[in-house]
């Protein structure tokens, strides 16, 4: 799928780069993040409607600071420089950047010229997030000032004729009031976009492209029941129907009833050619006696590949392997050093043994929220589309110590109660991940007049946007009380429930 309109985001290493790309897309314009040193030829080839320079930690006077060539401003393509991007534009075009004695940080009142096409529709002052030490002391020739703060004389500037704009503040973050409107203004008032990036056309175009690409050849997909692989599978199914085979390896470490639900949705609702492999015994036997978390992960990863391989071989030659890779997995870092690669659903990474010609990654250009919108467009049930993340190794890393059938049953029941009560309380959308953990700890309790010596279940619930950091969720006591009381009453062999009140860092979200 290719949208006709493109905004290129040149990544100078700022922490909000992906957010800028998402904001542009929220305004219905397709955007791509590219390394700052992309060549002029490449830019011309891509033919963007506009270019955005991101912020970044460097100073334009730094020896190794990322730079750009002057020619980029002579292409006739509108450019918006944000923070470091504005300073770089200034420096490259002959203005002056200076170092302030102290850093300006936080939501700050910015006085603006709302006659500018960039700031149209704003009041004369508006709160935007400032986060900088360097600032533009003198705008380049041909530019005029369109914004300032108490400590920053040039918080925004424009060269109307050449359609070059710079802002010292960050419109992409939530603490900038109506910040997205600045981006919207850039896209529509300055780049003259029409807004052709909508999920319904993504679905339509993708199906068409996949049909053309795959024709009547065969494709194979490892379906985990997670959002990404589910959306990829349904999209492929719409394009090539029964020529798609999905293999769902049920390692027996899924949540209560999950395996059956996945099978039901994909077989019954979408009539997908799905092979479910019930491999619980095989996985549990390999895991028998294993307590080390890393060993558990490794065994599950390897076993997953083995099972998948065996099934794939039965199918014979496949031409395409479908992967649910999404955009944040493939974005290259602006400083060109590292790229983020995640091997999520296929726990062990890419199955390199399957005899296929090509990989198909239909969601490669989408952010997670766009994958979800696509899922809804395709008619995938909401509870699956908004499913919380679930680790590839499943409940194995939520059972501390050895994994046994009995422990699995205990955890499935306790976890199911916790999730049910969170949903009953309407908290399932605000808590990003929540689950039960079966600790390896037994303690003394009393039930009726009987002494018990049973397991302790821990509850974990976190609020996070990126899952890299997070805070423990302040679930109301009454709800915790209900959950605790239900678990000890309804789940055999549990006599104690504790709540994990550690944020990440220093703890991780999962216990193993
Ligand atoms: P941690 O425990 O590292 O988890 O704070 C961060 C997020 O990643 C998920 N997670 C995994 N996902 N395979 C996955 O697909 C894994 O091996 C894995 N380990 C952790 C975890 O659930 C959380 O959302």
């Amino acid at each position: 799928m290719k949208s006709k309109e493109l905004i290129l985001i040149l990544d100078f290493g700022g922490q909000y780069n992906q957010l800028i790309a998402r904001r542009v897309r929220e305004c219905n314009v397709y955007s791509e993040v590219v390394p700052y040193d992309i060549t002029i030829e490449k830019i011309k080839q891509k033919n963007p409607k506009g270019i955005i320079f991101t912020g970044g930690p460097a100073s334009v006077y730094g020896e190794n600071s990322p730079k750009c060539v002057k020619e980029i401003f002579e292409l006739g393509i509108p450019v918006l420089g944000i923070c470091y991007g504005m300073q770089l534009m200034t420096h490259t075009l002959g203005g002056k950047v200076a170092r302030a004695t102290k850093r300006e940080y936080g939501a700050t009142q910015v006085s603006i010229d709302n006659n500018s096409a960039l700031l149209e529709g704003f009041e004369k002052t508006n709160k935007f997030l400032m986060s900088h030490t360097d600032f533009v002391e003198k705008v380049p020739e041909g530019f005029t000032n369109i914004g300032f703060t108490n400590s920053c004389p040039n918080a925004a500037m424009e060269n109307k004729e050449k359609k070059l704009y710079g802002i010292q503040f960050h419109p992409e973050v939530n603490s900038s009031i109506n910040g997205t409107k600045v981006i919207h203004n850039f896209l529509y008032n300055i780049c003259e976009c029409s807004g052709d990036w909508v999920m319904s056309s993504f679905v339509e175009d993708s199906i068409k492209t996949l049909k053309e690409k795959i024709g009547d050849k065969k494709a194979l997909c490892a379906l985990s029941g997670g959002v990404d692989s589910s959306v990829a599978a349904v999209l492929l199914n719409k394009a090539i129907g029964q020529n798609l085979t999905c293999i769902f390896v049920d390692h027996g470490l899924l949540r209560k009833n999950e395996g059956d639900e996945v099978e039901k949705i994909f077989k019954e609702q979408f009539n997908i050619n799905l092979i479910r492999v019930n491999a619980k015994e095989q996985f549990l036997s390999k895991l028998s006696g294993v307590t080390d978390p890393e060993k558990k992960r490794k065994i599950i990863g390897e076993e997953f590949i083995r099972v998948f391989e065996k099934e794939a071989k039965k199918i014979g030659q496949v031409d395409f392997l479908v992967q649910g890779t999404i955009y944040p997995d493939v974005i290259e870092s602006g400083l060109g050093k590292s790229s983020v690669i995640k091997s999520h659903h296929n726990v062990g990474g890419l199955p390199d043994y399957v005899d296929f010609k090509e990989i198909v990654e239909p969601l490669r250009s989408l952010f997670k929220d766009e994958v979800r919108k696509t899922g809804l467009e395709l008619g995938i049930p909401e509870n699956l589309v908004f499913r919380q993340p679930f680790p590839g190794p499943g409940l194995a890393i939520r059972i501390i110590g050895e994994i046994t059938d009995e422990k699995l049953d205990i955890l499935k029941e306790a976890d199911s109660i916790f999730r049910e009560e969170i949903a009953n309380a309407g908290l399932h959308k605000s808590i990003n991940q929540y689950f039960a953990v079966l600790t390896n700890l037994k303690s003394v309790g009393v039930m009726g007049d009987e002494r018990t010596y049973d397991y302790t279940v821990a509850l974990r619930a976190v609020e996070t946007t990126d899952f890299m950091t997070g805070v423990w969720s302040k679930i109301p006591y009454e709800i915790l009380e209900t959950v605790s009381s239900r678990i000890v009453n309804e789940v055999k062999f549990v006599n104690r429930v504790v709540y994990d009140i550690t944020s990440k860092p220093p703890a991780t979200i999962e216990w193993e």
Side-chain angles (χ1 to χ4, degrees):
M1 147 84 192
K2 265 286 150 255
S3 148
K4 283 171 216 82
E5 295 175 345
L6 165 70
I7 293 292
L8 269 191
I9 297 169
L10 266 57
D11 179 353
F12 287 93
Q15 54 179 321
Y16 304 124
N17 300 348
Q18 286 200 26
L19 207 47
I20 301 174
R22 288 181 51 177
R23 294 284 178 256
V24 171
R25 292 192 189 187
E26 277 165 27
C27 297
N28 297 332
V29 179
Y30 183 70
S31 62
E32 275 178 18
V33 181
V34 293
Y36 71 91
D37 53 0
I38 181 175
T39 61
I40 292 287
E41 287 67 41
K42 247 308 188 21
I43 294 179
K44 283 185 186 160
Q45 249 174 37
K46 285 183 175 276
N47 192 24
K49 296 280 287 182
I51 297 173
I52 297 178
F53 284 14
T54 73
S59 160
V60 289
Y61 296 115
E63 208 178 309
N64 297 316
S65 58
K67 298 272 169 31
C68 67
V69 291
K70 206 170 169 182
E71 211 183 331
I72 202 165
F73 302 110
E74 290 155 8
L75 296 171
I77 302 171
V79 181
L80 173 66
I82 297 175
C83 195
Y84 177 79
M86 175 191 191
Q87 294 160 13
L88 185 63
M89 182 185 278
T90 303
H91 182 66
T92 314
L93 295 176
K96 191 161 187 303
V97 176
R99 171 141 291 221
T101 45
K102 88 177 204 298
R103 187 161 177 245
E104 184 178 35
Y105 182 81
T108 309
Q109 285 289 356
V110 184
S111 303
I112 52 178
D113 176 359
N114 53 13
N115 292 315
S116 161
L118 187 69
L119 301 170
E120 188 190 279
F122 283 92
E123 297 295 323
K124 288 265 176 217
T125 58
N126 194 78
K127 263 200 175 152
F128 291 118
L129 180 86
M130 300 289 266
S131 172
H132 66 111
T133 309
D134 285 4
F135 67 98
V136 172
E137 193 174 64
K138 185 170 163 284
V139 301
E141 212 183 300
F143 279 74
T144 49
N145 174 298
I146 52 169
F148 60 91
T149 74
N150 278 344
S151 51
C152 179
N154 293 301
M157 64 180 192
E158 71 173 8
N159 181 332
K160 206 165 148 186
E161 192 195 328
K162 294 199 164 154
K163 299 193 172 185
L164 304 178
Y165 292 80
I167 45 182
Q168 184 55 64
F169 53 85
H170 289 273
E172 67 276 18
V173 297
N174 285 335
S175 47
S176 285
I177 310 293
N178 288 327
T180 305
K181 185 158 172 49
V182 178
I183 291 170
H184 191 277
N185 283 348
F186 178 66
L187 302 176
Y188 289 89
N189 295 352
I190 296 156
C191 302
E192 295 173 12
C193 292
S194 67
D196 65 357
W197 176 251
V198 281
M199 273 9 262
S200 54
S201 58
F202 171 81
V203 168
E204 235 169 76
D205 291 359
S206 298
I207 291 174
K208 191 163 157 267
T209 316
L210 288 167
K211 263 187 187 154
E212 283 164 10
K213 184 177 176 136
I214 303 178
D216 54 9
K217 297 206 171 84
K218 288 198 184 319
L220 184 64
C221 174
L223 188 71
S224 68
V227 186
D228 304 341
S229 69
S230 298
V231 174
V234 175
L235 203 52
L236 258 291
N237 175 254
K238 299 255 185 220
I240 63 165
Q242 295 300 302
N243 279 336
L244 169 75
T245 305
C246 290
I247 298 179
F248 167 41
V249 177
D250 184 349
H251 49 25
L253 304 162
L254 297 171
R255 290 167 288 200
K256 189 180 173 186
N257 300 333
E258 205 168 20
D260 294 344
E261 279 163 20
V262 170
E263 183 174 1
K264 190 160 182 263
I265 291 170
F266 292 98
K267 271 195 176 158
E268 288 178 18
Q269 188 179 336
F270 292 104
N271 192 26
I272 282 183
N273 187 4
L274 174 82
I275 300 170
R276 173 175 176 183
V277 194
N278 290 313
K280 180 177 168 188
E281 301 313 321
Q282 190 173 334
F283 277 86
L284 286 197
S285 106
K286 292 276 173 192
L287 288 165
S288 166
V290 179
T291 55
D292 178 68
E294 278 314 300
K295 267 206 190 123
K296 285 183 187 174
R297 283 172 182 273
K298 209 157 166 257
I299 290 170
I300 293 166
E302 280 168 12
E303 213 47 34
F304 183 92
I305 301 239
R306 219 156 283 149
V307 175
F308 189 82
E309 175 181 38
K310 198 165 144 210
E311 283 309 312
K313 276 204 176 125
K314 288 186 197 160
I315 299 166
Q317 164 81 38
V318 289
D319 304 283
F320 297 91
L321 184 74
V322 183
Q323 295 248 305
T325 318
I326 70 171
Y327 196 46
D329 303 338
V330 296
I331 294 185
E332 262 186 78
S333 149
L335 303 177
K337 282 186 192 128
S338 62
S339 61
V340 186
I341 298 168
K342 185 177 62 171
S343 56
H344 49 158
H345 300 300
N346 302 337
V347 201
L350 191 70
D352 52 5
Y353 47 83
V354 182
D355 188 15
F356 61 92
K357 283 196 197 124
E358 214 180 309
I359 293 178
V360 187
E361 298 176 314
L363 312 177
R364 209 182 149 80
S365 62
L366 302 188
F367 283 108
K368 194 80 176 187
D369 53 329
E370 294 174 319
V371 174
R372 292 208 163 101
K373 279 188 201 152
T374 304
L376 294 177
E377 279 287 330
L378 289 165
I380 300 176
E382 268 201 27
N383 62 347
L384 201 160
V385 167
F386 290 100
R387 221 181 80 145
Q388 51 168 322
F390 186 67
L395 300 183
I397 57 168
R398 294 178 182 171
I399 292 174
I400 313 304
E402 191 184 357
I403 299 153
T404 63
D405 235 336
E406 183 190 80
K407 281 179 162 180
L408 259 175
D409 288 342
I410 294 172
L411 180 58
K412 280 184 189 176
E413 289 305 320
D415 181 69
S416 158
I417 290 170
F418 186 30
R419 287 188 291 130
E420 200 179 305
E421 289 304 329
I422 291 292
N424 285 345
L427 294 174
H428 54 295
K429 287 203 171 147
S430 57
I431 306 177
N432 305 97
Q433 201 169 2
Y434 50 97
F435 52 87
V437 173
L438 186 61
T439 73
N440 212 14
L441 177 80
K442 283 190 171 183
S443 69
V444 174
V446 55
M447 263 196 190
D449 291 328
E450 298 279 315
R451 175 190 191 270
T452 59
Y453 187 59
D454 279 326
Y455 283 114
T456 302
V457 160
L459 305 175
R460 180 74 165 139
V462 288
E463 285 164 33
T464 170
T465 48
D466 56 8
F467 296 90
M468 313 278 281
T469 60
V471 293
W472 62 277
S473 178
K474 316 295 177 288
I475 297 177
Y477 283 166
E478 313 81 71
I479 294 159
L480 288 173
E481 188 175 20
T482 308
V483 176
S484 162
S485 151
R486 277 196 61 194
I487 290 177
V488 289
N489 280 298
E490 295 174 34
V491 186
K492 239 176 137 186
F493 309 121
V494 177
N495 67 356
R496 195 177 292 270
V497 177
V498 297
Y499 187 44
D500 181 348
I501 53 165
T502 335
S503 289
K504 175 183 178 178
T508 52
I509 296 174
E510 303 289 347
W511 275 35
E512 288 198 336

